[in-house]
């Protein structure tokens, strides 16, 4: 039985199995309880605790841990740092089942080990077992062996930076991209293998990209020269070097001028200036997917537009 004292307490005042004593009566009155009911669960019904545990077990992947059930709710926690995976379509379909509630954090986002990533529960105290069995069947029908909710660990990375701009290569202006990207990658437990400085010549940028690829880079970040000015050569250099260009431009602000391409298996990001000056950009939305080894399509980027105004 839950008691709520605004601003002070919300939790179980009396738990299952508690034997009511005379001294409990005053607290029950304070909770607005004037009657005590005896519950008998019929065949084909489940108590909320059992129902919640069964749902959580069905939905959770190997990268997720189940916290102990509490007041009919189970919280899922990340077993490791990585990218939160949610089968959005199937979880949405599960929530369309009457009296089922499944809430997750935003898919494809970075989570730390131990972080809560989802919570689920049946709405009533007693629920029809068939509804929980339906959720379990839907979970078993997952395509590709993926769980409904999981945390995917990041794959080992060899990250190279290609920093463009004659003003930086000549030493007239101090590089800012290197320190910021090193700090950003450190949040994911990653380091930068190498950083090279080139000017604004397209062929030099292309050569730096190809050299990074030949050196075993799994991720190449090219900074500078990403706008539409005539002397911004980075997009052309990436296009000439890549085997596939996914997108030049994203429906995300800040970071709309970001470019994503692949050189065979190597990911190439063309990073606009916003990445240096804004704490969260389109790069932060896409990076966890790349680190988890998920290939990104043009459709994936197009879907970022809804909710892509990050400074709102």
């Amino acid at each position: 039985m839950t008691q709520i004292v605004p601003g002070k307490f919300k939790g179980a005042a009396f738990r299952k199995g508690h034997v009511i004593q005379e001294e409990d009566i005053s607290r029950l009155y304070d909770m607005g309880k004037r009657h005590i009911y005896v519950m008998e669960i019929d065949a084909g019904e489940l108590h909320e605790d059992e129902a919640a545990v069964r749902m959580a077990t069905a939905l959770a992947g190997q990268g997720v841990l189940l916290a102990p059930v509490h007041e009919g709710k189970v919280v899922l926690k990340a077993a490791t740092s990585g990218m939160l995976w949610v089968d959005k379509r199937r979880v949405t379909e599960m929530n369309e089942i009457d009296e089922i509630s499944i809430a997750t954090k935003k898919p494809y986002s970075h989570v730390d080990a131990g972080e809560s990533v989802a919570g689920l529960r049946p709405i009533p105290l007693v629920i029809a077992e068939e509804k929980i069995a339906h959720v379990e069947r839907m979970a078993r029908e997952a395509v590709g062996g993926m769980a409904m909710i999981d945390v995917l660990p990041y794959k080992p990375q060899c990250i190279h930076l290609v920093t463009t701009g004659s003003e930086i290569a000549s030493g007239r202006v101090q590089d800012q991209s290197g320190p910021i990207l090193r700090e950003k990658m450190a949040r994911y437990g990653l380091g930068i293998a190498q950083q090279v400085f080139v000017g604004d010549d397209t062929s030099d940028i292309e050569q730096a990209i190809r050299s990074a690829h030949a050196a075993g880079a799994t991720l190449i970040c090219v900074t500078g020269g990403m706008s539409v000015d005539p002397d911004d050569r980075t997009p052309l250099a990436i296009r000439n070097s890549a085997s596939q260009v996914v997108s030049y431009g994203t429906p995300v602000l800040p970071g709309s001028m970001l470019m994503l391409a692949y050189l065979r298996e190597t990911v190439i990001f063309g990073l606009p200036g916003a990445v240096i000056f804004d704490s969260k950009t389109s790069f932060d939305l896409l990076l966890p997917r790349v680190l988890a080894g998920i290939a990104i399509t043009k459709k994936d980027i197009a879907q970022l537009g809804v909710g892509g105004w990050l400074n709102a």
Side-chain angles (χ1 to χ4, degrees):
M1 300 178 71
T2 302
Q3 182 178 20
I4 300 175
V5 180
K8 295 182 179 180
F9 175 79
K10 179 183 181 296
F14 303 101
R15 299 184 182 277
K16 184 171 62 174
H18 176 81
V19 178
I20 298 174
Q21 306 295 322
E22 184 176 352
E23 57 267 25
D24 297 330
I25 295 175
S26 176
R27 189 174 187 184
L28 288 165
Y29 280 151
D30 291 342
M31 295 167 58
K33 305 298 182 184
R34 295 296 186 268
H35 303 89
I36 299 297
Y37 298 90
V38 176
M39 181 177 66
E40 295 181 354
I41 299 177
D42 295 330
E45 295 180 331
L46 295 175
H47 184 272
E48 60 176 354
D49 286 353
E50 182 180 356
V53 170
R54 281 181 54 171
M55 281 200 300
T57 302
L59 270 63
Q62 295 183 349
V64 171
L65 302 174
L66 277 64
V69 62
H70 178 68
E71 296 183 323
K73 178 178 69 177
V74 174
V75 173
L76 305 183
K77 295 180 177 291
T80 182
S81 296
M83 186 208 76
L84 175 61
W85 161 260
V86 178
D87 188 327
K88 295 187 290 184
R89 180 178 68 84
R90 290 183 182 272
V91 169
T92 299
E93 290 174 353
M94 291 174 181
N95 277 323
E96 291 175 348
I97 302 171
D98 191 33
E99 300 181 331
I100 296 296
S101 173
I102 305 167
T104 78
K105 288 193 173 178
K106 191 171 183 178
Y108 304 116
S109 58
H110 169 78
V111 294
D112 293 315
E115 184 176 339
S116 298
V117 299
L120 48 85
R121 65 171 306 149
I123 297 301
L125 181 62
V126 176
I127 188 170
E129 184 176 11
E130 173 53 31
K131 293 181 179 181
I132 304 304
H134 189 186
V135 169
E136 292 172 324
R137 287 194 298 271
M138 293 174 68
R140 288 195 296 268
E141 294 168 359
V143 179
M146 297 287 286
M148 296 295 100
I149 302 172
D150 209 347
V151 174
L152 306 184
Y154 296 136
K155 298 182 180 298
Q157 301 290 334
C158 178
I159 304 172
H160 284 230
L161 304 186
V162 176
T163 303
T164 72
S166 58
E167 73 282 8
I168 298 174
S170 65
R172 292 180 61 88
V173 175
Q174 185 176 4
D175 171 53
Q176 298 182 55
S177 63
I180 288 174
L181 288 173
R182 283 185 174 85
E183 180 181 353
K184 188 178 292 290
M185 294 301 178
R187 299 174 195 161
Y188 301 94
L190 300 170
I192 305 297
Q194 185 177 356
Q195 181 179 13
V196 296
F197 299 91
V198 295
D200 298 311
D201 185 79
T202 304
S203 60
D204 290 342
I205 302 171
E206 292 176 23
Q207 182 57 47
I209 293 172
R210 294 192 180 99
S211 295
H213 178 263
T218 57
L219 172 58
I220 303 171
C221 295
V222 189
T223 65
M226 287 300 301
S227 73
V228 294
D229 294 339
D231 56 354
D232 285 335
R233 311 290 172 79
T234 301
L236 178 60
I238 293 175
R239 197 175 295 277
N240 291 344
S241 305
S243 53
Q244 176 195 4
V245 175
V246 178
S247 179
Y248 175 33
T250 67
V252 178
L253 290 169
S256 60
M257 302 302 291
L258 178 140
M259 188 173 192
L260 174 65
Y262 289 88
L263 176 50
R264 290 187 280 279
E265 300 300 322
T266 298
V267 180
I268 305 173
F269 273 115
L271 300 180
V275 173
I276 299 174
F277 297 105
D278 293 284
S279 59
K280 187 174 184 180
T281 69
S282 56
F283 182 51
D284 299 282
L285 299 184
L286 294 172
L287 184 58
R289 305 191 200 197
V290 167
L291 299 181
I294 295 179
I296 299 173
T297 66
K298 176 66 174 178
K299 183 176 181 180
D300 294 328
I301 292 177
Q303 291 175 341
L304 297 177
V306 179
W309 184 268
L310 303 182
N311 287 339

